Amino acid sequence: MTASNPLFEFTLHMGDNALILGQRVSAWCGHAPILEEDIALANTGLDLIGQTKLWLSYAAEIENKDRDADDLAFRRDGRDFRNCLLVEQPNGDYAQTMMRQFLFDAWHHPMLAALTNSSNKRVAEIAEKSEKEAAYHLERSTDLLIRLGDGSQESHDRMQTALDDLWRFTGELTSAGDVETSLGKENVIPDGSAISDQYASYIQTALREATLTIPEGVGMRQGGKKGIHTEDFGYLLAEMQSLPRAYPDAAW
Amino acid sequence: MSNEWPLWEVFIRGQHGLSHRHVGSLHAPDAEMAINNARDVYTRRNEGVSIWVTKATDITASAPGEKGPLFEPSNSKVYRHPTFFDIPKEVGQM
Protein backbone atom coordinates (compact mmCIF):
# COMPACT_ATOMS: atom_id res chain seq x y z
CA MET A 1 0.00 0.00 0.00
CA THR A 2 1.38 3.38 -0.91
CA ALA A 3 1.03 6.33 1.39
CA SER A 4 -0.24 8.41 -1.50
CA ASN A 5 -3.56 9.73 -0.27
CA PRO A 6 -3.40 11.52 3.10
CA LEU A 7 -7.16 11.40 3.57
CA PHE A 8 -7.16 7.64 3.03
CA GLU A 9 -4.33 7.28 5.55
CA PHE A 10 -6.14 9.43 8.10
CA THR A 11 -9.51 7.68 7.81
CA LEU A 12 -7.67 4.36 8.18
CA HIS A 13 -5.93 5.71 11.28
CA MET A 14 -9.22 6.74 12.89
CA GLY A 15 -10.97 3.54 11.85
CA ASP A 16 -8.14 1.23 12.86
CA ASN A 17 -7.81 2.88 16.29
CA ALA A 18 -11.49 2.18 16.92
CA LEU A 19 -11.36 -1.32 15.43
CA ILE A 20 -8.34 -2.55 17.33
CA LEU A 21 -9.38 -1.05 20.67
CA GLY A 22 -12.90 -2.39 20.12
CA GLN A 23 -11.46 -5.85 19.46
CA ARG A 24 -9.26 -5.69 22.58
CA VAL A 25 -12.05 -4.43 24.83
CA SER A 26 -14.58 -6.98 23.57
CA ALA A 27 -12.28 -9.78 24.78
CA TRP A 28 -13.39 -8.84 28.31
CA CYS A 29 -16.98 -9.79 27.53
CA GLY A 30 -17.92 -12.45 30.05
CA HIS A 31 -14.67 -11.97 32.00
CA ALA A 32 -14.87 -8.51 33.59
CA PRO A 33 -14.56 -8.26 37.39
CA ILE A 34 -18.27 -7.63 37.94
CA LEU A 35 -21.40 -7.88 35.83
CA GLU A 36 -21.99 -4.12 35.55
CA GLU A 37 -18.43 -3.52 34.33
CA ASP A 38 -18.80 -6.35 31.87
CA ILE A 39 -21.84 -4.74 30.29
CA ALA A 40 -20.33 -1.25 30.34
CA LEU A 41 -17.09 -2.36 28.71
CA ALA A 42 -18.89 -4.43 26.09
CA ASN A 43 -20.94 -1.31 25.27
CA THR A 44 -17.74 0.66 24.79
CA GLY A 45 -16.43 -2.05 22.48
CA LEU A 46 -19.63 -2.01 20.45
CA ASP A 47 -19.55 1.79 20.17
CA LEU A 48 -16.01 1.58 18.83
CA ILE A 49 -16.84 -1.14 16.30
CA GLY A 50 -19.76 1.01 15.14
CA GLN A 51 -17.43 3.97 14.65
CA THR A 52 -15.01 1.69 12.79
CA LYS A 53 -17.66 0.97 10.21
CA LEU A 54 -18.19 4.68 9.53
CA TRP A 55 -14.47 5.41 9.11
CA LEU A 56 -13.54 2.32 7.11
CA SER A 57 -16.55 2.62 4.79
CA TYR A 58 -15.41 6.12 3.95
CA ALA A 59 -11.79 4.96 3.61
CA ALA A 60 -12.91 2.29 1.14
CA GLU A 61 -14.77 4.91 -0.90
CA ILE A 62 -11.70 7.13 -0.99
CA GLU A 63 -9.51 4.24 -2.06
CA ASN A 64 -11.98 3.25 -4.78
CA LYS A 65 -10.51 -0.20 -5.37
CA ASP A 66 -13.66 -2.25 -4.97
CA ARG A 67 -13.00 -3.02 -1.31
CA ASP A 68 -15.51 -2.40 1.48
CA ALA A 69 -15.17 -1.82 5.25
CA ASP A 70 -15.15 -5.57 5.93
CA ASP A 71 -12.34 -6.13 3.42
CA LEU A 72 -10.31 -3.41 5.10
CA ALA A 73 -10.92 -4.81 8.57
CA PHE A 74 -10.53 -8.51 7.88
CA ARG A 75 -8.39 -8.88 4.78
CA ARG A 76 -5.59 -6.41 5.38
CA ASP A 77 -2.17 -7.44 6.65
CA GLY A 78 -0.54 -6.01 9.75
CA ARG A 79 1.74 -3.62 7.90
CA ASP A 80 -1.28 -1.96 6.31
CA PHE A 81 -2.92 -1.09 9.64
CA ARG A 82 -2.61 2.53 10.75
CA ASN A 83 -3.74 2.35 14.39
CA CYS A 84 -1.55 3.82 17.11
CA LEU A 85 0.49 1.40 19.21
CA LEU A 86 -1.42 2.25 22.39
CA VAL A 87 -4.69 0.58 21.37
CA GLU A 88 -3.06 -2.73 20.40
CA GLN A 89 -1.39 -3.24 23.79
CA PRO A 90 -2.66 -6.38 25.54
CA ASN A 91 -5.53 -6.20 28.03
CA GLY A 92 -3.37 -7.26 30.99
CA ASP A 93 -5.25 -6.81 34.25
CA TYR A 94 -8.20 -4.48 34.65
CA ALA A 95 -5.89 -1.61 35.59
CA GLN A 96 -3.99 -1.99 32.29
CA THR A 97 -7.24 -2.08 30.35
CA MET A 98 -8.66 0.98 32.10
CA MET A 99 -5.42 2.96 31.84
CA ARG A 100 -5.21 2.21 28.11
CA GLN A 101 -8.84 3.27 27.73
CA PHE A 102 -8.30 6.51 29.63
CA LEU A 103 -5.14 7.44 27.72
CA PHE A 104 -6.97 6.83 24.45
CA ASP A 105 -10.30 8.47 25.35
CA ALA A 106 -8.54 11.61 26.59
CA TRP A 107 -7.17 12.05 23.06
CA HIS A 108 -10.11 10.60 21.14
CA HIS A 109 -12.78 12.89 22.50
CA PRO A 110 -11.12 16.29 21.86
CA MET A 111 -9.99 14.99 18.46
CA LEU A 112 -13.53 14.03 17.43
CA ALA A 113 -14.96 17.23 18.91
CA ALA A 114 -12.54 19.27 16.79
CA LEU A 115 -13.20 17.13 13.71
CA THR A 116 -16.86 18.14 13.78
CA ASN A 117 -15.57 21.42 12.28
CA SER A 118 -13.63 19.67 9.52
CA SER A 119 -13.68 21.26 6.07
CA ASN A 120 -14.43 17.76 4.78
CA LYS A 121 -18.17 17.23 5.21
CA ARG A 122 -17.99 13.44 5.50
CA VAL A 123 -15.30 13.60 8.17
CA ALA A 124 -17.37 16.18 10.08
CA GLU A 125 -20.45 13.93 9.90
CA ILE A 126 -18.62 10.86 11.18
CA ALA A 127 -17.09 12.91 14.00
CA GLU A 128 -20.51 14.31 14.88
CA LYS A 129 -21.92 10.78 15.21
CA SER A 130 -19.00 9.49 17.28
CA GLU A 131 -18.30 12.45 19.53
CA LYS A 132 -21.06 11.87 22.08
CA GLU A 133 -20.07 8.24 22.53
CA ALA A 134 -16.46 9.26 23.03
CA ALA A 135 -17.53 11.88 25.59
CA TYR A 136 -19.21 9.19 27.63
CA HIS A 137 -16.26 6.81 27.28
CA LEU A 138 -13.98 9.54 28.60
CA GLU A 139 -16.28 10.38 31.50
CA ARG A 140 -16.37 6.73 32.46
CA SER A 141 -12.69 5.95 32.11
CA THR A 142 -11.72 9.13 33.98
CA ASP A 143 -14.07 8.19 36.79
CA LEU A 144 -12.54 4.72 37.07
CA LEU A 145 -9.01 6.07 36.74
CA ILE A 146 -9.55 8.30 39.77
CA ARG A 147 -11.38 5.66 41.78
CA LEU A 148 -8.73 3.01 41.20
CA GLY A 149 -5.72 5.35 41.39
CA ASP A 150 -6.95 6.97 44.58
CA GLY A 151 -8.42 3.72 45.88
CA SER A 152 -6.75 0.97 47.87
CA GLN A 153 -2.98 0.50 48.00
CA GLU A 154 -3.32 -2.44 45.64
CA SER A 155 -5.47 -0.65 43.07
CA HIS A 156 -3.16 2.37 43.24
CA ASP A 157 -0.08 0.22 42.64
CA ARG A 158 -1.67 -1.58 39.73
CA MET A 159 -2.74 1.69 38.11
CA GLN A 160 0.73 3.18 38.57
CA THR A 161 2.30 0.07 37.00
CA ALA A 162 -0.11 0.37 34.09
CA LEU A 163 0.73 4.05 33.63
CA ASP A 164 4.49 3.33 33.75
CA ASP A 165 3.98 0.63 31.16
CA LEU A 166 1.72 2.52 28.75
CA TRP A 167 3.06 6.06 28.99
CA ARG A 168 5.61 5.46 26.20
CA PHE A 169 2.76 4.96 23.73
CA THR A 170 1.04 8.30 24.39
CA GLY A 171 3.37 10.47 22.30
CA GLU A 172 2.30 8.86 19.05
CA LEU A 173 -1.31 10.03 19.35
CA THR A 174 -0.42 13.70 19.04
CA SER A 175 2.62 13.34 16.81
CA ALA A 176 2.33 14.96 13.40
CA GLY A 177 3.76 13.51 10.20
CA ASP A 178 3.22 14.27 6.51
CA VAL A 179 -0.38 13.11 6.64
CA GLU A 180 -1.30 15.46 9.49
CA THR A 181 0.60 18.40 8.02
CA SER A 182 -1.05 18.05 4.64
CA LEU A 183 -4.58 17.59 6.01
CA GLY A 184 -4.05 20.32 8.58
CA LYS A 185 -3.31 22.84 5.83
CA GLU A 186 -6.66 22.07 4.22
CA ASN A 187 -8.44 22.28 7.61
CA VAL A 188 -9.60 18.70 7.25
CA ILE A 189 -8.09 17.94 10.64
CA PRO A 190 -7.56 20.33 13.55
CA ASP A 191 -4.33 22.02 14.51
CA GLY A 192 -2.26 19.26 16.10
CA SER A 193 -0.70 21.40 18.81
CA ALA A 194 -4.13 22.49 20.10
CA ILE A 195 -5.21 18.85 20.56
CA SER A 196 -1.82 18.05 22.04
CA ASP A 197 -2.17 20.81 24.67
CA GLN A 198 -5.72 19.77 25.50
CA TYR A 199 -4.62 16.15 25.82
CA ALA A 200 -1.68 16.97 28.08
CA SER A 201 -3.59 19.25 30.42
CA TYR A 202 -6.57 16.88 30.74
CA ILE A 203 -4.33 13.91 31.48
CA GLN A 204 -2.22 15.79 34.01
CA THR A 205 -5.25 17.03 35.94
CA ALA A 206 -6.92 13.62 36.04
CA LEU A 207 -3.73 11.76 36.96
CA ARG A 208 -3.04 14.21 39.77
CA GLU A 209 -6.51 13.62 41.16
CA ALA A 210 -5.90 9.89 40.82
CA THR A 211 -2.66 10.36 42.86
CA LEU A 212 -0.65 8.82 40.03
CA THR A 213 2.75 10.02 38.81
CA ILE A 214 3.73 10.39 35.18
CA PRO A 215 7.01 8.50 34.69
CA GLU A 216 9.97 10.68 33.75
CA GLY A 217 12.54 10.28 31.00
CA VAL A 218 10.50 7.85 28.95
CA GLY A 219 11.30 7.57 25.24
CA MET A 220 8.12 7.73 23.19
CA ARG A 221 7.45 4.79 20.89
CA GLN A 222 6.04 5.36 17.43
CA GLY A 223 5.37 3.38 14.30
CA GLY A 224 1.73 2.35 14.34
CA LYS A 225 0.63 5.07 11.96
CA LYS A 226 3.24 3.81 9.50
CA GLY A 227 2.27 0.17 9.90
CA ILE A 228 5.11 -0.87 12.19
CA HIS A 229 3.35 -2.54 15.09
CA THR A 230 4.31 -4.23 18.35
CA GLU A 231 4.66 -7.95 18.85
CA ASP A 232 1.20 -8.61 20.24
CA PHE A 233 -0.51 -7.08 17.24
CA GLY A 234 0.06 -10.12 15.04
CA TYR A 235 -1.73 -12.38 17.50
CA LEU A 236 -4.65 -9.98 17.71
CA LEU A 237 -5.02 -9.87 13.92
CA ALA A 238 -4.69 -13.63 13.61
CA GLU A 239 -7.60 -14.11 15.98
CA MET A 240 -9.72 -11.27 14.60
CA GLN A 241 -9.27 -12.27 10.97
CA SER A 242 -9.23 -16.05 11.29
CA LEU A 243 -12.82 -16.67 10.27
CA PRO A 244 -13.03 -14.52 7.12
CA ARG A 245 -9.57 -15.76 6.10
CA ALA A 246 -10.45 -19.43 6.56
CA TYR A 247 -13.89 -19.03 4.95
CA PRO A 248 -13.62 -16.20 2.41
CA ASP A 249 -17.23 -16.64 1.33
CA ALA A 250 -18.66 -16.57 4.84
CA ALA A 251 -21.63 -14.23 5.14
CA TRP A 252 -24.02 -13.28 7.93
CA MET B 1 -20.13 -11.47 51.09
CA SER B 2 -19.03 -8.37 52.94
CA ASN B 3 -16.90 -6.89 50.16
CA GLU B 4 -19.70 -6.89 47.62
CA TRP B 5 -20.89 -3.48 46.48
CA PRO B 6 -24.28 -2.34 47.77
CA LEU B 7 -27.42 -2.92 45.77
CA TRP B 8 -29.14 0.03 44.07
CA GLU B 9 -32.66 0.23 42.69
CA VAL B 10 -32.95 1.96 39.34
CA PHE B 11 -35.85 4.12 38.16
CA ILE B 12 -36.06 5.48 34.63
CA ARG B 13 -38.30 8.14 33.12
CA GLY B 14 -39.14 6.91 29.64
CA GLN B 15 -40.21 10.26 28.23
CA HIS B 16 -41.08 13.73 29.40
CA GLY B 17 -44.40 13.86 31.18
CA LEU B 18 -44.32 10.27 32.42
CA SER B 19 -43.19 9.31 35.88
CA HIS B 20 -40.05 7.34 36.71
CA ARG B 21 -40.62 3.59 36.72
CA HIS B 22 -38.67 0.94 38.52
CA VAL B 23 -36.69 -1.04 35.94
CA GLY B 24 -34.40 -3.22 38.04
CA SER B 25 -31.37 -3.15 40.27
CA LEU B 26 -27.58 -3.28 40.11
CA HIS B 27 -24.44 -3.15 42.23
CA ALA B 28 -22.21 -0.08 42.53
CA PRO B 29 -19.88 1.42 45.16
CA ASP B 30 -21.65 4.79 45.20
CA ALA B 31 -24.48 6.81 43.66
CA GLU B 32 -22.42 8.34 40.86
CA MET B 33 -21.24 4.98 39.61
CA ALA B 34 -24.71 3.54 40.06
CA ILE B 35 -25.97 6.17 37.60
CA ASN B 36 -23.20 5.29 35.12
CA ASN B 37 -23.89 1.59 35.46
CA ALA B 38 -27.63 2.15 35.11
CA ARG B 39 -26.98 4.05 31.91
CA ASP B 40 -25.07 1.10 30.53
CA VAL B 41 -27.30 -1.66 31.82
CA TYR B 42 -30.74 -0.14 31.27
CA THR B 43 -30.68 2.65 28.67
CA ARG B 44 -28.71 1.25 25.76
CA ARG B 45 -31.75 1.28 23.52
CA ASN B 46 -32.79 4.85 24.08
CA GLU B 47 -35.19 3.95 26.87
CA GLY B 48 -34.91 7.03 29.00
CA VAL B 49 -34.52 10.74 29.56
CA SER B 50 -33.79 10.60 33.27
CA ILE B 51 -32.40 8.10 35.78
CA TRP B 52 -32.94 7.88 39.52
CA VAL B 53 -31.03 5.48 41.73
CA THR B 54 -31.49 4.79 45.40
CA LYS B 55 -29.87 2.34 47.76
CA ALA B 56 -32.06 -0.71 48.05
CA THR B 57 -31.67 -0.56 51.83
CA ASP B 58 -33.19 2.94 51.87
CA ILE B 59 -36.49 1.64 50.57
CA THR B 60 -39.02 0.76 53.22
CA ALA B 61 -41.51 -1.74 51.90
CA SER B 62 -44.89 -2.84 53.15
CA ALA B 63 -44.88 -6.30 54.60
CA PRO B 64 -46.35 -8.97 52.32
CA GLY B 65 -48.07 -10.51 55.34
CA GLU B 66 -50.11 -7.37 55.88
CA LYS B 67 -51.59 -7.46 52.42
CA GLY B 68 -55.02 -8.35 53.76
CA PRO B 69 -55.44 -5.60 56.36
CA LEU B 70 -53.79 -3.00 54.09
CA PHE B 71 -55.59 -3.51 50.84
CA GLU B 72 -58.63 -5.75 51.10
CA PRO B 73 -61.01 -3.35 52.88
CA SER B 74 -61.12 -1.15 49.79
CA ASN B 75 -62.30 -4.03 47.61
CA SER B 76 -65.86 -3.78 48.89
CA LYS B 77 -66.06 0.00 48.53
CA VAL B 78 -66.77 0.41 44.85
CA TYR B 79 -67.76 4.05 45.35
CA ARG B 80 -64.09 4.83 45.92
CA HIS B 81 -63.27 3.94 42.34
CA PRO B 82 -63.95 6.72 39.87
CA THR B 83 -65.44 4.34 37.32
CA PHE B 84 -68.85 6.05 37.10
CA PHE B 85 -67.64 9.06 35.18
CA ASP B 86 -67.26 9.49 31.45
CA ILE B 87 -63.95 11.20 30.89
CA PRO B 88 -64.06 13.74 28.06
CA LYS B 89 -61.73 12.86 25.20
CA GLU B 90 -59.96 16.24 25.44
CA VAL B 91 -58.58 15.29 28.85
CA GLY B 92 -56.37 12.68 27.24
CA GLN B 93 -54.42 10.16 29.29
CA MET B 94 -55.16 10.22 33.02
Short mmCIF file of all heavy atoms in Angstrom, two decimals, chain A residues 4 13 17 34 54 69-71 96-97 104 111 113 123 132 136 159 170 184 186 188 205 209 213 229 252:
data_model
loop_
_atom_site.label_atom_id
_atom_site.label_comp_id
_atom_site.label_asym_id
_atom_site.label_seq_id
_atom_site.Cartn_x
_atom_site.Cartn_y
_atom_site.Cartn_z
N SER A 4 -0.02 7.32 -0.56
CA SER A 4 -0.24 8.41 -1.50
C SER A 4 -1.32 9.39 -1.05
O SER A 4 -1.13 10.58 -1.10
CB SER A 4 -0.61 7.84 -2.87
OG SER A 4 -1.71 6.96 -2.72
N HIS A 13 -6.44 5.52 9.92
CA HIS A 13 -5.93 5.71 11.28
C HIS A 13 -7.08 5.79 12.28
O HIS A 13 -7.08 5.09 13.30
CB HIS A 13 -5.07 6.98 11.33
CG HIS A 13 -4.66 7.39 12.70
ND1 HIS A 13 -3.90 6.58 13.53
CD2 HIS A 13 -4.91 8.51 13.42
CE1 HIS A 13 -3.70 7.19 14.69
NE2 HIS A 13 -4.31 8.36 14.65
N ASN A 17 -7.84 2.64 14.84
CA ASN A 17 -7.81 2.88 16.29
C ASN A 17 -9.06 2.29 16.94
O ASN A 17 -8.98 1.57 17.93
CB ASN A 17 -7.79 4.39 16.59
CG ASN A 17 -6.42 5.00 16.46
OD1 ASN A 17 -5.41 4.30 16.46
ND2 ASN A 17 -6.38 6.32 16.35
N ILE A 34 -16.88 -7.52 37.48
CA ILE A 34 -18.27 -7.63 37.94
C ILE A 34 -19.19 -7.44 36.74
O ILE A 34 -18.80 -6.90 35.72
CB ILE A 34 -18.62 -6.59 39.03
CG1 ILE A 34 -18.41 -5.19 38.49
CG2 ILE A 34 -17.87 -6.83 40.32
CD1 ILE A 34 -19.24 -4.18 39.22
N LEU A 54 -18.06 3.37 10.19
CA LEU A 54 -18.19 4.68 9.53
C LEU A 54 -16.87 5.09 8.87
O LEU A 54 -16.83 5.49 7.71
CB LEU A 54 -18.61 5.75 10.55
CG LEU A 54 -19.93 5.52 11.29
CD1 LEU A 54 -20.12 6.57 12.38
CD2 LEU A 54 -21.10 5.56 10.31
N ALA A 69 -15.69 -1.93 3.88
CA ALA A 69 -15.17 -1.82 5.25
C ALA A 69 -14.73 -3.19 5.78
O ALA A 69 -13.71 -3.30 6.46
CB ALA A 69 -16.22 -1.20 6.16
N ASP A 70 -15.50 -4.23 5.46
CA ASP A 70 -15.15 -5.57 5.93
C ASP A 70 -13.82 -6.03 5.33
O ASP A 70 -12.99 -6.64 6.03
CB ASP A 70 -16.25 -6.58 5.57
CG ASP A 70 -17.40 -6.53 6.57
OD1 ASP A 70 -17.19 -5.98 7.67
OD2 ASP A 70 -18.50 -7.01 6.23
N ASP A 71 -13.62 -5.76 4.05
CA ASP A 71 -12.34 -6.13 3.42
C ASP A 71 -11.18 -5.45 4.14
O ASP A 71 -10.15 -6.05 4.41
CB ASP A 71 -12.32 -5.71 1.94
CG ASP A 71 -13.31 -6.52 1.11
OD1 ASP A 71 -13.48 -7.72 1.43
OD2 ASP A 71 -13.92 -5.96 0.20
N GLN A 96 -4.62 -2.22 33.61
CA GLN A 96 -3.99 -1.99 32.29
C GLN A 96 -5.06 -1.60 31.27
O GLN A 96 -4.88 -0.68 30.48
CB GLN A 96 -3.28 -3.27 31.82
CG GLN A 96 -2.13 -3.71 32.69
CD GLN A 96 -0.80 -3.12 32.23
OE1 GLN A 96 -0.71 -2.59 31.15
NE2 GLN A 96 0.20 -3.18 33.09
N THR A 97 -6.16 -2.34 31.30
CA THR A 97 -7.24 -2.08 30.35
C THR A 97 -7.83 -0.69 30.55
O THR A 97 -8.06 0.05 29.59
CB THR A 97 -8.34 -3.15 30.50
OG1 THR A 97 -7.82 -4.40 30.04
CG2 THR A 97 -9.57 -2.81 29.70
N PHE A 104 -6.42 6.68 25.80
CA PHE A 104 -6.97 6.83 24.45
C PHE A 104 -8.14 7.80 24.43
O PHE A 104 -8.18 8.73 23.61
CB PHE A 104 -7.41 5.46 23.90
CG PHE A 104 -8.04 5.56 22.53
CD1 PHE A 104 -7.25 5.80 21.41
CD2 PHE A 104 -9.41 5.44 22.36
CE1 PHE A 104 -7.83 5.92 20.14
CE2 PHE A 104 -9.99 5.56 21.09
CZ PHE A 104 -9.20 5.80 19.99
N MET A 111 -10.25 15.14 19.89
CA MET A 111 -9.99 14.99 18.46
C MET A 111 -11.30 14.96 17.69
O MET A 111 -11.49 15.70 16.71
CB MET A 111 -9.20 13.69 18.22
CG MET A 111 -8.78 13.47 16.79
SD MET A 111 -7.57 14.72 16.29
CE MET A 111 -7.28 14.23 14.60
N ALA A 113 -14.25 15.96 18.72
CA ALA A 113 -14.96 17.23 18.91
C ALA A 113 -14.45 18.26 17.91
O ALA A 113 -15.23 18.99 17.29
CB ALA A 113 -14.80 17.72 20.34
N VAL A 123 -16.06 13.74 6.92
CA VAL A 123 -15.30 13.60 8.17
C VAL A 123 -16.08 14.26 9.31
O VAL A 123 -16.21 13.70 10.41
CB VAL A 123 -13.89 14.23 8.02
CG1 VAL A 123 -13.21 14.35 9.38
CG2 VAL A 123 -13.04 13.40 7.06
N LYS A 132 -20.32 12.04 20.82
CA LYS A 132 -21.06 11.87 22.08
C LYS A 132 -20.69 10.56 22.77
O LYS A 132 -20.60 10.48 23.98
CB LYS A 132 -22.57 11.92 21.82
CG LYS A 132 -23.07 13.31 21.54
CD LYS A 132 -24.58 13.38 21.61
CE LYS A 132 -25.08 14.70 21.07
NZ LYS A 132 -25.05 14.73 19.58
N TYR A 136 -18.82 10.08 26.53
CA TYR A 136 -19.21 9.19 27.63
C TYR A 136 -18.08 8.22 27.99
O TYR A 136 -17.84 7.97 29.18
CB TYR A 136 -20.49 8.42 27.27
CG TYR A 136 -20.92 7.52 28.41
CD1 TYR A 136 -21.41 8.05 29.60
CD2 TYR A 136 -20.76 6.14 28.32
CE1 TYR A 136 -21.75 7.23 30.66
CE2 TYR A 136 -21.10 5.32 29.39
CZ TYR A 136 -21.60 5.86 30.55
OH TYR A 136 -21.92 5.06 31.60
N MET A 159 -2.53 0.59 39.06
CA MET A 159 -2.74 1.69 38.11
C MET A 159 -1.41 2.38 37.79
O MET A 159 -1.17 2.77 36.65
CB MET A 159 -3.76 2.70 38.66
CG MET A 159 -5.18 2.21 38.68
SD MET A 159 -5.82 1.70 37.05
CE MET A 159 -6.45 3.23 36.40
N THR A 170 1.95 7.14 24.46
CA THR A 170 1.04 8.30 24.39
C THR A 170 1.53 9.36 23.41
O THR A 170 0.72 10.13 22.90
CB THR A 170 0.84 8.94 25.77
OG1 THR A 170 2.14 9.26 26.30
CG2 THR A 170 0.11 8.00 26.72
N GLY A 184 -3.89 19.14 7.73
CA GLY A 184 -4.05 20.32 8.58
C GLY A 184 -4.12 21.60 7.75
O GLY A 184 -4.91 22.50 8.05
N GLU A 186 -5.35 21.96 4.88
CA GLU A 186 -6.66 22.07 4.22
C GLU A 186 -7.80 22.14 5.24
O GLU A 186 -8.97 22.05 4.88
CB GLU A 186 -6.88 20.87 3.31
CG GLU A 186 -5.85 20.73 2.20
CD GLU A 186 -5.89 19.33 1.57
OE1 GLU A 186 -6.96 18.70 1.56
OE2 GLU A 186 -4.84 18.86 1.12
N VAL A 188 -8.85 19.94 7.12
CA VAL A 188 -9.60 18.70 7.25
C VAL A 188 -9.48 18.19 8.68
O VAL A 188 -10.44 17.70 9.28
CB VAL A 188 -9.08 17.63 6.26
CG1 VAL A 188 -9.79 16.30 6.48
CG2 VAL A 188 -9.25 18.10 4.83
N THR A 205 -4.27 16.74 34.88
CA THR A 205 -5.25 17.03 35.94
C THR A 205 -5.85 15.74 36.50
O THR A 205 -5.93 15.55 37.71
CB THR A 205 -6.38 17.92 35.38
OG1 THR A 205 -5.79 19.02 34.71
CG2 THR A 205 -7.29 18.40 36.48
N GLU A 209 -5.39 13.97 40.28
CA GLU A 209 -6.51 13.62 41.16
C GLU A 209 -6.50 12.14 41.50
O GLU A 209 -6.94 11.73 42.58
CB GLU A 209 -7.83 13.99 40.47
CG GLU A 209 -8.94 14.24 41.46
CD GLU A 209 -10.25 14.65 40.79
OE1 GLU A 209 -10.20 15.31 39.72
OE2 GLU A 209 -11.29 14.29 41.32
N THR A 213 1.62 9.21 39.26
CA THR A 213 2.75 10.02 38.81
C THR A 213 3.17 9.64 37.41
O THR A 213 3.43 8.46 37.12
CB THR A 213 3.95 9.79 39.76
OG1 THR A 213 3.46 9.79 41.11
CG2 THR A 213 4.98 10.88 39.60
N HIS A 229 4.08 -2.29 13.86
CA HIS A 229 3.35 -2.54 15.09
C HIS A 229 4.17 -3.36 16.09
O HIS A 229 5.24 -3.85 15.77
CB HIS A 229 2.03 -3.23 14.76
CG HIS A 229 1.12 -2.35 13.97
ND1 HIS A 229 0.32 -1.40 14.56
CD2 HIS A 229 0.91 -2.24 12.62
CE1 HIS A 229 -0.35 -0.75 13.61
NE2 HIS A 229 -0.01 -1.24 12.43
N TRP A 252 -23.09 -13.24 6.79
CA TRP A 252 -24.02 -13.28 7.93
C TRP A 252 -25.29 -13.99 7.53
O TRP A 252 -25.80 -13.80 6.44
CB TRP A 252 -24.38 -11.86 8.37
CG TRP A 252 -23.25 -11.18 9.04
CD1 TRP A 252 -22.52 -10.15 8.54
CD2 TRP A 252 -22.70 -11.46 10.34
NE1 TRP A 252 -21.56 -9.77 9.44
CE2 TRP A 252 -21.65 -10.55 10.55
CE3 TRP A 252 -23.01 -12.40 11.34
CZ2 TRP A 252 -20.90 -10.56 11.72
CZ3 TRP A 252 -22.26 -12.40 12.50
CH2 TRP A 252 -21.21 -11.49 12.68
#
